[in-house]
């Protein structure tokens, strides 16, 4: 089984709660908008790595800036349609977050060509209100937004 840990920064602006999501990159996500965002997250081994540390590291790798400091709330582990389990931490922040750069991954492209190319994992990030976030985030992670929205301590 695969495990990932992710970070969901949030803030309140003019009475509206917003979350910070990354836009997935690479050829499969080109020209997609709705359903193309994610929490900044990455795989880890729960037997040998700390999920919170991985979530912070992955945020930095996918956004290009350090993860925001702040009190964290564990939103629990969520099963994705692929079977992967994603543990997400929400962090309230007033930091100015913006996309700077992303790490790269290797992939055969076009499929069956034998040609390996590099692509960024993410290519943008933005703040979204909760209703919009539920549309922008990939369908498998909508439960994370719902759990976050239902957590009264975070509002």
């Amino acid at each position: 089984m695969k495990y990932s840990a992710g970070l969901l920064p949030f803030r309140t602006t003019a009475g509206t709660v917003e979350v910070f999501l990354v836009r997935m990159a690479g050829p499969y996500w080109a020209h997609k908008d709705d359903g193309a965002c994610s929490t900044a997250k990455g795989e880890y081994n729960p037997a040998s790595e700390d999920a919170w540390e991985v979530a912070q590291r992955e945020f930095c790798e996918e956004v290009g800036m350090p993860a925001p400091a702040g009190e964290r709330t564990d939103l629990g582990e969520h099963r994705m349609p692929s079977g992967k389990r994603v543990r997400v931490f929400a962090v309230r922040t007033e930091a100015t977050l913006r996309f700077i750069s992303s790490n790269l991954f290797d992939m055969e492209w076009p499929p069956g060509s034998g040609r390996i190319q590099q692509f960024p994992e993410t290519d943008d990030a933005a703040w979204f209100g909760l209703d919009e976030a539920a549309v922008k985030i990939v369908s498998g992670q909508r439960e994370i937004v719902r759990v976050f929205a239902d957590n009264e301590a975070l509002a």
Side-chain angles (χ1 to χ4, degrees), residues 73-114:
T73 300
D74 189 342
L75 297 177
E77 192 174 85
H78 303 268
R79 187 178 182 280
M80 299 296 105
S82 66
K84 180 187 285 187
R85 301 210 176 257
V86 178
R87 186 165 174 196
V88 178
F89 299 92
V91 174
R92 181 184 297 275
T93 185
E94 298 302 321
T96 302
L97 300 181
R98 62 187 176 85
F99 178 79
I100 297 173
S101 64
S102 174
N103 56 331
L104 302 173
F105 70 96
D106 293 333
M107 174 181 170
E108 181 184 19
W109 190 259
S113 67

Side-chain angles (χ1 to χ4, degrees), residues 4-7 38-43 58 62 84 86 121 141:
S4 282
L7 191 62
S38 173
T39 58
K41 63 176 180 39
E43 289 187 5
E58 292 296 326
E62 293 187 4
K84 180 187 285 187
V86 178
E121 282 194 49
Q141 291 185 37

Side-chain angles (χ1 to χ4, degrees), residues 12-146:
T12 303
T13 304
T16 300
V17 176
E18 298 176 318
V19 294
F20 191 77
L21 301 175
V22 297
R23 186 185 165 318
M24 293 184 284
Y28 291 119
W29 299 103
H31 312 297
K32 293 184 181 174
D33 185 30
D34 292 349
C37 290
S38 173
T39 58
K41 63 176 180 39
E43 289 187 5
Y44 78 108
N45 180 344
S48 62
E49 295 178 281
D50 178 74
W52 170 240
E53 290 176 9
V54 170
Q56 293 176 89
R57 177 191 74 217
E58 292 296 326
F59 182 91
C60 186
E61 287 181 2
E62 293 187 4
V63 177
M65 63 187 308
E71 185 177 333
R72 70 181 186 247
T73 300
D74 189 342
L75 297 177
E77 192 174 85
H78 303 268
R79 187 178 182 280
M80 299 296 105
S82 66
K84 180 187 285 187
R85 301 210 176 257
V86 178
R87 186 165 174 196
V88 178
F89 299 92
V91 174
R92 181 184 297 275
T93 185
E94 298 302 321
T96 302
L97 300 181
R98 62 187 176 85
F99 178 79
I100 297 173
S101 64
S102 174
N103 56 331
L104 302 173
F105 70 96
D106 293 333
M107 174 181 170
E108 181 184 19
W109 190 259
S113 67
R115 188 169 156 213
I116 303 299
Q117 296 189 53
Q118 286 193 323
F119 298 97
E121 282 194 49
T122 63
D123 63 11
D124 200 5
W127 290 101
F128 297 100
L130 297 181
D131 289 342
E132 188 176 14
V135 172
K136 297 295 182 186
I137 202 162
V138 293
S139 60
Q141 291 185 37
R142 286 191 186 126
E143 175 72 5
I144 295 166
V145 174
R146 188 195 63 72

